[in-house]
Amino acid sequence: MDETRRDRDAEGRARNARPRDGLGRPLPYGAPGVDRQPEGVTRTPEETLREAQRLLDSGMPFHAHEVFEDAWKSGPVAERELWRGLAQLAVGLTHAARGNTTGGARLLRRGAVALAGFGTTRPHGIGVDGLIGWAEELAGRVEAKEACGADAARVRPVDAAGEAPCLRPGGR
């Protein structure tokens, strides 16, 4: 790949073809990376939750975010805030795992707010209240790391797989 030119898809839109690691960070051209999630896939809610949980459990929340983003963009209008909130939780975990405590906490809290309206309905069996609690607790922990006076370069990232939330109580 000629790195002086932008990567383009078949329609000429800019698309970054660089390989990425499990947290979605770009790697040098030619480096081995993880398989990327195809964009624009329409899945059932069950398929979305199953694939996103698999990716979260594998320590790949950035890729889970892309799955939720597809549901957010293709799902019913009444559920868009649900899928957007789940995408924000996944990208918040991504930032926390990359060591970006400020961005991670902010996105975790933003996702929790987006999910708040769904807490009593348990759409698709999603444990919304548990996810909100998880997001707030994790946001508080990553902010506490920063508040301890740790130099930003020395803030220890969270373990994405170890911190993966369970989307539906009673089973992954």
Side-chain angles (χ1 to χ4, degrees):
M1 171 73 207
D2 177 3
E3 294 183 37
T4 62
R5 298 181 49 200
R6 290 186 76 183
D7 301 330
R8 302 276 174 186
D9 66 12
E11 287 81 38
R13 291 183 300 250
R15 295 280 189 237
N16 191 328
R18 286 173 61 183
R20 293 188 178 260
D21 71 6
L23 292 174
R25 293 175 289 217
L27 298 169
Y29 287 102
V34 300
D35 289 338
R36 297 176 80 164
Q37 288 298 304
E39 292 182 37
V41 176
T42 302
R43 298 174 181 87
T44 66
E46 177 65 29
E47 292 166 333
T48 296
L49 292 166
R50 188 173 42 247
E51 179 63 4
Q53 189 69 68
R54 182 188 72 76
L55 292 163
L56 289 166
D57 291 345
S58 298
M60 299 190 326
F62 176 82
H63 302 280
H65 138 267
E66 292 179 331
V67 170
F68 288 134
E69 194 171 87
D70 284 341
W72 162 20
K73 292 178 178 178
S74 67
V77 172
E79 292 185 355
R80 290 209 174 134
E81 193 71 1
L82 169 71
W83 300 113
R84 186 173 74 89
L86 292 170
Q88 288 172 327
L89 294 185
V91 82
L93 177 56
T94 299
H95 282 286
R98 290 177 178 175
N100 175 0
T101 56
T102 302
R106 184 174 295 134
L107 282 160
L108 287 163
R109 287 201 171 95
R110 192 177 298 157
V113 168
L115 293 177
F118 296 92
T120 59
T121 62
R122 292 184 48 92
H124 309 292
I126 299 168
V128 174
D129 290 335
L131 288 171
I132 291 170
W134 166 84
E136 291 172 349
E137 189 274 333
L138 182 56
R141 272 194 292 127
V142 298
E143 283 178 331
K145 287 181 180 184
E146 185 176 57
C148 289
D151 178 354
R154 295 183 308 163
V155 172
R156 196 159 156 196
V158 302
D159 172 20
E163 295 290 349
C166 182
L167 300 173
R168 293 190 280 196
R172 283 178 128 47

